Amino acid sequence: MDKMFSEEGFEKTYQWAVNTIKEYSNCNLLIWQIAVMLDSRRIIGMCENPDRYDEQINSWYEMALSDKDEKIQHYAADSLFGFYLRKKNYEMAEKYLNYFSDYDPMKKVKQGQLYMKQGKKEEAFEMLEKAVFSEYTTLNLAFGIMITKALEEKDHGYARFLAEKMCTLASGFDMGKYNECAAMLNVVTAENNVEGTFQVAKQLLNNVDTICDFQESQLYKHMKFQEVENPYTEEMKKELLEGFRNAEEFAYMKEYEPWEKLLSGN
């Protein structure tokens, strides 16, 4: 199709597409792909009177939307959402958002995009910030799983590399000093790294009160968070200290004087 567009022009390529889709009328992925290529070319001005193709291209998207494969449905719904958004038919655009899972961050992005087009600025920013926050949660979980597996395989170097990335991620997403160092604790513990464990534990204890700093970040200023009472910080600090004192995994630290002072609060 790329060659045909450049050599034959839009109209002849369109006619070829009509004939091809008639021949392969049961291949919805192909139908969607052809429709997308024609749609994109007319959007960038490669044909005259682009609106005259609306009905046909949209009918192809609707054919793909009826496919039993959810992935093809998703592709088609995305294309239809974009079409109606460009046409400023926001009611129809929102209709096709229903094909996106509520667990799909892209649904939040597209909902934010729709709100922005509708002039609902506050709602748009809130939805887009939720998408950003959700993406951090997903990435954080993915890194955590990889670190756990690397440690199981005794690949401490790779685990440390991943933990450093995870700490940088927390910093980039304004998650507070506590979360910026928390990922390293499992690594230094697995290494039986005495000085490293001491430094990470000290940072965690000193920064417990930053664990909810993201609530004050400009990055999430339109989001509404449930307020956490101050005693939560002290309770968490007590739990950390108890874990450091009693967990068998920290047995290698018991002869280290700075560690004993840290746990005693001196």
Side-chain angles (χ1 to χ4, degrees):
M1 285 185 75
D2 282 332
K3 184 177 180 182
M4 198 176 298
F5 276 124
S6 60
E7 294 181 359
E8 303 290 340
F10 188 91
E11 182 58 33
K12 286 190 177 180
T13 306
Y14 172 76
Q15 290 302 326
W16 171 87
V18 170
N19 294 331
T20 301
I21 289 174
K22 284 180 181 178
E23 185 176 356
Y24 298 99
S25 59
N26 292 322
C27 186
N28 287 324
L29 181 58
L30 175 65
I31 291 169
W32 172 77
Q33 289 171 330
I34 289 174
V36 165
M37 292 191 75
L38 287 166
D39 206 2
S40 62
R41 294 310 192 282
R42 71 189 184 123
I43 288 171
I44 63 175
M46 290 186 65
C47 77
E48 296 180 3
N49 303 316
D51 292 349
R52 64 176 283 213
Y53 301 98
D54 283 356
E55 186 175 349
Q56 182 61 79
I57 290 176
N58 273 18
S59 72
W60 289 334
Y61 285 146
E62 290 287 353
M63 288 171 67
L65 192 67
S66 67
D67 198 274
K68 293 180 180 179
D69 189 327
E70 289 186 4
K71 183 167 68 173
I72 297 174
Q73 287 181 21
H74 187 277
Y75 291 156
D78 189 22
S79 298
L80 286 160
F81 170 82
F83 170 79
Y84 285 109
L85 197 66
R86 292 194 304 273
K87 292 291 184 180
K88 299 182 180 180
N89 187 338
Y90 302 132
E91 184 177 349
M92 286 297 291
E94 189 156 23
K95 169 188 171 182
Y96 292 103
L97 282 180
N98 292 327
Y99 286 86
F100 290 78
S101 167
D102 289 336
Y103 298 101
D104 183 353
M106 282 307 298
K107 183 172 186 178
K108 294 183 177 66
V109 172
K110 291 183 181 299
Q111 186 71 67
Q113 189 180 11
L114 177 59
Y115 283 149
M116 202 70 80
K117 290 288 186 180
Q118 291 174 307
K120 300 177 181 178
K121 179 182 171 183
E122 293 296 312
E123 293 92 332
F125 274 111
E126 181 181 9
M127 191 60 66
L128 293 168
E129 288 167 12
K130 284 181 178 179
V132 171
F133 193 83
S134 175
E135 194 66 18
Y136 168 76
T137 303
T138 301
L139 291 170
N140 195 56
L141 178 60
F143 272 110
I145 294 169
M146 289 192 290
I147 290 169
T148 298
K149 186 60 178 176
L151 293 175
E152 286 176 358
E153 296 178 346
K154 310 298 183 184
D155 192 346
H156 294 166
Y158 184 48
R160 176 173 284 274
F161 166 80
L162 292 170
E164 288 171 353
K165 295 295 182 184
M166 197 170 173
C167 294
T168 301
L169 185 73
S171 175
F173 281 81
D174 289 355
M175 288 294 143
K177 293 292 184 183
Y178 181 92
N179 289 304
E180 288 176 26
C181 58
M184 195 57 70
L185 182 62
N186 287 341
V187 177
V188 293
T189 303
E191 294 172 339
N192 283 354
N193 183 332
V194 173
E195 180 60 23
T197 302
F198 169 72
Q199 291 298 335
V200 172
K202 183 179 179 180
Q203 288 175 333
L204 290 175
L205 290 168
N206 289 342
N207 290 290
V208 167
D209 60 343
T210 72
I211 198 166
C212 293
D213 272 11
F214 60 86
Q215 295 184 2
E216 305 300 324
S217 169
Q218 283 284 94
L219 192 55
Y220 312 109
K221 71 176 184 177
H222 297 88
M223 289 178 62
K224 300 173 183 65
F225 294 101
Q226 183 178 357
E227 291 187 12
V228 180
E229 296 181 0
N230 289 333
Y232 174 80
T233 298
E234 290 303 315
E235 185 63 30
M236 186 173 178
K237 194 169 184 177
K238 288 179 182 177
E239 289 178 3
L240 276 173
L241 284 168
E242 185 177 347
F244 292 147
R245 289 180 186 126
N246 300 326
E248 291 183 11
E249 60 190 316
F250 296 109
Y252 64 95
M253 297 294 295
K254 288 187 177 179
E255 301 300 322
Y256 190 57
E257 186 177 345
W259 177 256
E260 298 299 331
K261 288 182 177 180
L262 178 69
L263 299 190
S264 67
N266 295 327

